[in-house]
Amino acid sequence: QVQLVESGGGLVQAGGSLRLSCAASGRTFNNLAMAWFRQTPGKEREFVTAINWIGSRTSYADSVKGRFTISRDNAKNTLYLQMNSLKPDDTAVYYCAGRIDISPTTPTQGSTYNYWGQGTQVTVSS
């Protein structure tokens, strides 16, 4: 089993920045492909970004390209999401997710991830 705990959410003005963290425990973190998803009330969960197990490949949703950066520190068992130039449309609960995967791929389908955190709220005011 893997336990994932997100932190770093909060309230920020449009144009501002936040950095989310996701601490992993319970299994070797560097066997996991990781991703960030987000969800707002009444909407389906949305893929944001993913990174492969070693951090050599990433993928991003078009809506966040150039503004968000995913990274990981396998020595610290931690995943990060640096969010810059935030917009009100970025307001959501952000979830980190993991799956056992040591391939080069960066899956974007939420259904393929086995482990999820509890989420952290990000609110961007206009």
Side-chain angles (χ1 to χ4, degrees):
Q1 284 295 328
V2 175
Q3 292 78 45
L4 301 174
V5 179
E6 301 96 337
S7 61
L11 174 64
V12 64
Q13 288 188 332
S17 298
L18 281 176
R19 188 175 85 153
L20 306 184
S21 299
C22 173
S25 62
R27 190 181 179 96
T28 305
F29 181 66
N30 61 13
N31 287 342
L32 303 177
M34 299 295 297
W36 290 96
F37 291 81
R38 65 188 182 186
Q39 190 169 23
T40 55
K43 293 187 178 181
E44 292 189 357
R45 182 176 56 200
E46 175 188 20
F47 168 76
V48 177
T49 179
I51 188 168
N52 71 331
W53 67 284
I54 202 172
S56 60
R57 294 196 180 186
T58 59
S59 60
Y60 294 90
D62 287 344
S63 58
V64 306
K65 278 182 182 176
R67 300 188 299 120
F68 289 12
T69 302
I70 190 171
S71 63
R72 65 190 296 161
D73 186 337
N74 285 354
K76 295 183 178 180
N77 292 346
T78 304
L79 176 74
Y80 302 100
L81 180 62
Q82 178 66 44
M83 304 186 294
N84 298 328
S85 302
L86 282 161
K87 305 174 182 179
D89 284 350
D90 295 318
T91 295
V93 177
Y94 284 71
Y95 299 90
C96 67
R99 55 174 273 160
I100 300 169
D101 186 346
I102 57 172
S103 74
T105 61
T106 54
T108 63
Q109 296 294 324
S111 59
T112 67
Y113 287 86
N114 307 107
Y115 308 111
W116 292 84
Q118 83 289 348
T120 185
Q121 176 71 46
V122 172
T123 302
V124 184
S125 63
S126 58

